[in-house]
Amino acid sequence: QQPVQSPQAVILREGEDAVINCSSSKALYSVHWYRQKHGEAPIFLMILLKGGEQKGHDKISASFNEKKQQSSLYLTASQLSYSGTYFCGTDYSGYSTLTFGKGTMLLVSP
Amino acid sequence: DAGITQSPRHKVTETGTPVTLRCHQTENHRYMYWYRQDPGHGLRLIHYSYGVKDTDKGEVSDGYSVSRSKTEDFLLTLESATSSQTSVYFCAISEGGSGRMDYEQYFGPGTRLTVT
């Protein structure tokens, strides 16, 4: 039950905004967001928990709709460094394992 | 940066040979994970460990085995490598635990494995 990410790819100019969505067909305990640059390891961005608690990057915001089992990552005033592939990871069990989506590729150009 | 290393970083091997990848951490984290990453599939969990000698299967565990005899080391073994196991393998660690959801995962640098 891999979560579905949309869009698959986004191209932005520096300073523009983007929203990346993650949708699940199953109930979630939490949603995690990671960013990966080409040839590098994924790095942690944010965790969103049931009940509204969040933890993570202070320059990136996200939301978690528990009723719809959806999360959205908001990238505002994008910078060149935001380029990369964004993955959402969903925790279905509450036992510290994640199922990742296929990723959303973001390219920010000058 | 979390202290995670993977070895080897690159490996080319022939079909049918055994291969062992090593993940080493210096953070004393309880959980360790092995993922594979392939184009179009994202990150898929192979096996994970929630303590020394405690392991469990992930979604793509067929053809792989793991062992964890020390907190800091988690080994992934391909008993008889096949071309379909050509991939980039990432190890990750976290402080996770039962009922705990606020656990970020930290990833190692990855191992690129090619099976010819």
Side-chain angles (χ1 to χ4, degrees):
Chain A
Q1 293 86 1
Q2 192 174 30
V4 177
Q5 290 187 231
S6 62
Q8 289 185 316
V10 184
I11 300 176
L12 299 174
R13 289 197 179 275
E14 201 172 5
E16 293 182 337
D17 302 337
V19 180
I20 300 173
N21 302 301
C22 176
S23 180
S24 170
S25 58
K26 289 177 57 175
L28 305 174
Y29 284 87
S30 64
V31 179
H32 301 222
W33 287 96
Y34 292 79
R35 177 172 62 211
Q36 183 180 30
K37 294 186 179 290
H38 184 70
E40 299 181 5
I43 59 168
F44 166 75
L45 294 177
M46 291 200 77
I47 294 172
L48 300 106
L49 308 175
K50 288 173 66 172
E53 185 178 347
Q54 296 186 4
K55 173 181 173 182
H57 205 292
D58 58 2
K59 293 189 177 180
I60 292 176
S61 63
S63 64
F64 179 21
N65 185 324
E66 294 176 36
K67 288 185 178 179
K68 293 186 177 180
Q69 307 304 325
Q70 292 176 348
S71 178
S72 295
L73 186 69
Y74 304 98
L75 304 169
T76 57
S78 59
Q79 305 172 18
L80 297 176
S81 62
Y82 287 8
S83 292
T85 300
Y86 290 76
F87 294 97
C88 70
T90 50
D91 185 342
Y92 295 116
S93 68
Y95 287 99
S96 304
T97 59
L98 298 177
T99 302
F100 285 91
K102 294 184 179 182
T104 296
M105 190 179 308
L106 177 72
L107 176 63
V108 181
S109 60
Chain B
D1 290 345
I4 313 169
T5 56
Q6 292 184 232
S7 58
R9 295 292 313 280
H10 301 271
K11 186 170 182 67
V12 180
T13 191
E14 293 185 350
T15 297
T17 60
V19 176
T20 296
L21 308 183
R22 179 181 183 239
C23 177
H24 179 79
Q25 62 147 328
T26 58
E27 305 296 322
N28 200 35
H29 281 3
R30 179 182 172 189
Y31 276 67
M32 298 185 76
Y33 313 81
W34 278 108
Y35 293 92
R36 61 177 290 173
Q37 185 172 40
D38 306 289
H41 289 279
L43 293 152
R44 293 182 291 175
L45 182 65
I46 305 171
H47 282 279
Y48 68 101
S49 169
Y50 47 96
V52 173
K53 299 192 190 306
D54 293 323
T55 64
D56 205 348
K57 295 179 180 180
E59 60 183 296
V60 290
S61 60
D62 286 350
Y64 301 95
S65 62
V66 291
S67 65
R68 190 170 179 196
S69 58
K70 298 186 290 184
T71 298
E72 57 266 35
D73 289 325
F74 192 32
L75 304 180
L76 176 71
T77 298
L78 291 67
E79 302 290 348
S80 178
T82 67
S83 58
S84 65
Q85 293 176 312
T86 292
S87 186
V88 178
Y89 291 86
F90 284 102
C91 173
I93 64 174
S94 82
E95 294 184 79
S98 176
R100 181 177 171 185
M101 263 62 77
D102 62 334
Y103 57 92
E104 55 265 46
Q105 293 191 13
Y106 300 98
F107 286 80
T111 294
R112 183 172 295 276
L113 176 68
T114 302
V115 183
T116 61

